[in-house]
Amino acid sequence: GEQAVNTELFKDKTEMAAKSTSLKHGMSKKQTLEALGVPEDRFERMSLQDIQLSLYGNSVVQGSPEQLEQFRRRIQNYDGYALPYREIKSSSSLGFGKMKVEKTGHYLKLVLIFERDRLVRSALEGTHHVNQAEDRYMWDSLISKGIGSAF
């Protein structure tokens, strides 16, 4: 099987990475989206917690009540957008009583964070090389499908 999300927007992940590195700090939102060639409605809005995690690497803030209020007011000036970019290919082989599933590809997310319509951070986050192998026992799958069908 295959899983593809937003793969039609770029030729490949190399093109996506090249376009993301061409973005400059201080660009307007309009300039940023034009440089990427992606309409705004393809992006997902990020929550304040996701923005904080992306900017600071931590979702927990400590400090005095005054410092926390000041931080809260500052983080509310940010707008964050994320563009998932995923291409995973799965192949499987059947053995006695089990199935081996191998997944290859990439799972990336382009993150854009703006403060008052100016780009403050752009990053390509995620896993560039997915290479997973998993054994699935057929009895587990058959039982769960059988129980699901019965109810």
Side-chain angles (χ1 to χ4, degrees):
E2 292 189 19
Q3 185 182 52
V5 176
N6 292 324
T7 54
E8 72 280 0
L9 298 175
F10 304 100
K11 183 174 65 173
D12 55 18
K13 70 178 183 176
T14 306
E15 180 187 20
M16 181 185 189
K19 284 189 175 188
S20 71
T21 56
S22 72
L23 302 176
K24 303 294 181 221
H25 183 73
M27 292 174 79
S28 71
K29 187 189 314 183
K30 183 179 178 186
Q31 290 172 324
T32 302
L33 296 175
E34 286 174 356
L36 290 172
V38 179
E40 184 177 345
D41 63 350
R42 297 301 293 263
F43 285 83
E44 300 170 355
R45 288 288 303 244
M46 295 172 65
S47 68
L48 288 177
Q49 185 177 9
D50 290 338
I51 292 170
Q52 179 180 331
L53 187 61
S54 182
L55 285 173
Y56 302 108
N58 190 350
S59 62
V60 178
V61 179
Q62 296 178 357
S64 69
E66 295 83 22
Q67 290 171 326
L68 293 175
E69 180 60 25
Q70 184 180 25
F71 181 79
R72 185 189 65 76
R73 275 189 260 123
R74 179 156 189 237
I75 199 97
Q76 286 182 334
N77 291 326
Y78 293 115
D79 286 322
Y81 299 89
L83 180 71
Y85 186 75
R86 182 180 323 141
E87 187 172 22
I88 302 290
K89 294 181 180 177
S90 299
S91 62
S92 60
S93 59
L94 193 57
F96 183 73
K98 69 179 180 178
M99 181 171 54
K100 184 174 187 131
V101 179
E102 294 183 24
K103 295 180 181 181
T104 57
H106 51 270
Y107 179 74
L108 301 171
K109 178 172 63 170
L110 177 60
V111 173
L112 304 174
I113 299 178
F114 298 91
E115 181 178 20
R116 295 185 182 99
D117 194 44
R118 296 291 172 200
L119 184 66
V120 293
R121 183 169 195 271
S122 66
L124 192 56
E125 300 175 350
T127 307
H128 288 267
H129 301 287
V130 172
N131 192 4
Q132 297 175 335
E134 170 184 359
D135 287 332
R136 295 186 184 166
Y137 292 94
M138 290 176 38
W139 298 115
D140 295 337
S141 297
L142 291 172
I143 289 170
S144 65
K145 290 202 187 299
I147 290 173
S149 298
F151 293 103

